Amino acid sequence: MGYGIKLKVWGDYACFTRPEMKAERVSYDVITPSAARGILEAIHWKPAIRWVVDRIHVLKEIRFENFRRNEVGSKISAANVKKAMNGNTVALYQSVEEDRQQRAALLLRNVAYVIEAHFEATDKWGERDTPEKHYNMFLRRAREGQCYHRPYLGCREFPAQFELLEGELPASSLRGERDLGWMLWDIDYADGMTPRFFRPTMRNGVIDVERLAQGGGVR
């Protein structure tokens, strides 16, 4: 399928959490391909298609900020919810005062990216599915700002603004090469939800995800 799209996304804050630092959240330097795919799926997704991220353009300088936030340390037990649904009397509440925890987070500040991507057919592709249909559905929804749920930049508390790009790409302010280290590429759902990692190099603000994936750079 030769239908590619370009989407600009931006926001005040972002946190693409490193899995090795889960308790105290620390963001990767840039958006991950899996987070970019999630933004596209928030705008248009059907079981018949799968989004593939080709390139990520980092438009602004990479800036971090430290935050300390109040969070709750647990959630209401699913077992208690089931008991309540079966008519048992259980306490279905959570006391913020008793369960509050203060945690630090290293977030990205003032981010902007361009996502270049295309979609591929899955085994759910039916007779009524055509590439033109899904391509035009995405274009229409992105132009009008429609989405199934609000796209976000790593965490749901950091909403993403988005805009379909149909002309020239905006220029990145970044120059030179930067080794971004090992990053999460995506989750392999066909292999028991196995996380896959890659080691991208950003050149003049561009991460060529497609070239790395085709070159065997994903493990």
Side-chain angles (χ1 to χ4, degrees):
M1 295 182 184
Y3 293 98
I5 59 92
K6 292 175 286 188
L7 188 77
K8 180 181 177 182
V9 298
W10 68 95
D12 295 334
Y13 292 98
C15 184
F16 308 105
T17 309
R18 293 176 176 270
E20 68 271 25
M21 301 176 187
K22 198 171 181 180
E24 302 284 344
R25 294 190 183 92
V26 176
S27 177
Y28 285 118
D29 293 6
V30 298
I31 187 172
T32 61
S34 61
R37 175 179 55 77
I39 291 173
L40 300 175
E41 289 178 349
I43 298 171
H44 174 62
W45 177 83
K46 295 289 181 185
I49 65 170
R50 179 176 69 91
W51 285 105
V52 179
V53 176
D54 299 321
R55 277 168 294 281
I56 293 171
H57 301 253
V58 183
L59 302 182
K60 294 186 177 180
E61 292 290 334
I62 299 171
R63 294 170 50 200
F64 287 96
E65 277 192 25
N66 274 304
F67 280 81
R68 189 165 291 279
R69 303 185 295 178
N70 290 323
E71 301 179 4
V72 292
S74 63
K75 54 188 178 183
I76 297 174
S77 164
N80 283 350
V81 174
K82 289 180 181 176
K83 289 178 182 176
M85 292 172 66
N86 290 328
N88 298 308
T89 302
V90 293
L92 276 185
Y93 71 92
Q94 191 167 23
S95 172
V96 175
E97 297 299 327
E98 296 173 2
D99 204 20
R100 178 181 293 146
Q101 295 181 357
Q102 203 168 57
R103 291 181 179 171
L106 186 60
L107 310 179
L108 290 168
R109 180 80 169 95
N110 194 23
V111 300
Y113 307 104
V114 172
I115 302 167
E116 286 191 76
H118 68 279
F119 59 83
E120 296 178 345
T122 69
D123 57 2
K124 304 293 184 183
W125 191 264
E127 293 181 356
R128 300 177 63 180
D129 291 304
T130 65
E132 293 84 0
K133 169 186 167 183
H134 290 287
Y135 176 66
N136 287 312
M137 286 178 71
F138 182 88
L139 294 187
R140 176 178 53 79
R141 294 178 63 81
R143 283 180 188 135
E144 297 177 2
Q146 296 177 338
C147 49
Y148 296 118
H149 61 81
R150 187 69 194 172
Y152 52 89
L153 296 162
C155 298
R156 289 189 183 274
E157 61 261 48
F158 306 131
Q161 310 295 322
F162 64 89
E163 175 188 11
L164 181 70
L165 293 181
E166 299 183 83
E168 295 294 321
L169 289 174
S172 171
S173 61
L174 303 177
R175 290 291 177 268
E177 287 192 4
R178 179 166 176 167
D179 182 355
L180 298 172
W182 285 100
M183 291 178 59
L184 177 68
W185 175 65
D186 212 331
I187 303 296
D188 188 350
Y189 292 95
D191 189 18
M193 295 186 67
T194 302
R196 302 295 184 194
F197 294 86
F198 73 140
R199 185 163 188 166
T201 297
M202 181 169 63
R203 295 181 174 85
N204 295 327
V206 181
I207 304 166
D208 195 337
V209 180
E210 181 184 28
R211 185 180 62 81
L212 285 165
Q214 292 180 348
V218 177
R219 300 177 183 175

